[in-house]
Amino acid sequence: MWCYRGGSISTEPRINDRIRVPEVRLVGPSGEQVGIVPLAKALELAQEYDLDLVEVAASARPPVCKLMDYGKFKYESAMKAREARKNQAHTVIKEMKLRPKIDPHDYDTKKGHVVRFLKQGDKVKITIMFRGREQSRPELGYRLLQRLASDVEELGFIESNPKQDGRNMIMVLGPHKKKTEAMAEAREAQAARKAERQGTAAADEATPSEEAAPVEATDATDAEVTEADAGEANAEA
């Protein structure tokens, strides 16, 4: 009885002498259809072009193989996958905790954080923490949550209405902008700041040095003195 003992199954395509079929359907370096050729002929062409013979459709009959630079192909594929992961949006839920009788300065600070999170396209879970006798005044927490939602309504909306959860009251704010839009805007802003810095640096390099100004003034003064001396000499003569 056959038994699988584990081990990884390679997902890499077969290339060159690892291809074990009598003939293949060959695709040229530029994507042109060469046709069905013996494997030996396909390997010979790969050697002539200084390329690899790569099996791109193993399930076809006969298998489809293409002439390509396999190392370059793998590198470009990895770069595309990396860029795709970079641009992939992951929804993140941030949390901000407040007290019912929060100080105005602390409230402004907390609100600033909520604004930043919403601009980034993240959801924000707002938690009002009650202590002692504050638990008998849930309306304080409710009013505070409504105030915060009103202050940031241009950036977010109430996704989950305030509700009591033990000693806490919780509300979730959702961003109006999607995560992908926020990421794109952040990249554009970063590029704009970089361009502005480069422009400022170029302008500074193009500005003439101020050290030359006193020298010119001195030269002009000397010239005036020389002309005056020449005038006095003519008058004496």
Side-chain angles (χ1 to χ4, degrees):
M1 180 179 178
W2 180 83
C3 179
Y4 177 65
R5 297 182 179 277
S8 60
I9 299 176
S10 176
T11 57
E12 296 286 335
R14 292 184 294 184
I15 65 173
N16 300 327
D17 57 358
R18 293 174 56 190
I19 302 172
R20 304 292 188 182
V21 292
E23 58 184 15
V24 298
R25 184 178 297 277
L26 186 63
V27 179
S30 302
E32 69 277 13
Q33 296 290 332
V34 178
I36 299 175
V37 300
L39 177 62
K41 179 62 177 178
L43 291 172
E44 182 181 338
L45 289 173
Q47 189 172 4
E48 288 180 8
Y49 283 106
D50 194 23
L51 295 173
D52 299 301
L53 181 66
V54 182
E55 190 177 59
V56 294
S59 60
R61 291 292 179 268
V64 180
C65 295
K66 184 177 181 180
L67 298 175
M68 68 173 74
D69 185 337
Y70 186 59
K72 181 180 179 181
F73 170 75
K74 286 189 65 177
Y75 174 78
E76 291 177 349
S77 298
M79 289 298 100
K80 289 179 181 179
R82 179 180 178 183
E83 190 66 21
R85 288 194 299 270
K86 180 180 177 181
N87 295 329
Q88 188 176 5
H90 296 282
T91 301
V92 178
I93 299 181
K94 305 288 187 176
E95 183 172 14
M96 188 60 56
K97 296 181 179 181
L98 295 81
R99 294 293 307 282
K101 298 179 181 179
I102 187 171
D103 178 83
H105 176 73
D106 290 339
Y107 174 81
D108 290 337
T109 302
K110 301 277 188 178
K111 184 182 72 174
H113 292 313
V114 174
V115 167
R116 177 164 54 88
F117 295 148
L118 292 173
K119 284 184 176 179
Q120 293 173 353
D122 296 323
K123 297 181 180 182
V124 188
K125 176 183 176 183
I126 312 297
T127 302
I128 304 295
M129 301 180 297
F130 296 96
R131 293 181 181 176
R133 296 181 179 179
E134 293 176 345
Q135 297 181 58
S136 62
R137 301 288 304 279
E139 68 277 6
L140 295 177
Y142 183 82
R143 285 200 297 265
L144 181 58
L145 291 176
Q146 291 297 321
R147 174 189 171 188
L148 180 59
S150 177
D151 288 345
V152 299
E153 62 182 356
E154 293 183 359
L155 300 172
F157 61 96
I158 299 177
E159 186 173 287
S160 177
N161 289 317
K163 62 180 180 180
Q164 196 76 26
D165 183 16
R167 295 185 177 183
N168 301 327
M169 182 175 288
I170 297 172
M171 177 182 72
V172 178
L173 295 175
H176 290 311
K177 291 182 181 179
K178 295 182 179 179
K179 184 72 172 180
T180 51
E181 295 175 356
M183 292 172 62
E185 289 184 1
R187 286 194 295 269
E188 290 177 1
Q190 184 178 5
R193 289 194 297 269
K194 183 178 179 180
E196 183 179 356
R197 289 195 298 268
Q198 291 176 345
T200 303
D204 292 341
E205 292 178 359
T207 303
S209 176
E210 296 181 355
E211 295 179 355
V215 176
E216 292 177 359
T218 303
D219 293 343
T221 304
D222 292 343
E224 292 176 0
V225 172
T226 302
E227 291 178 359
D229 293 342
E232 292 177 1
N234 292 333
E236 292 177 358

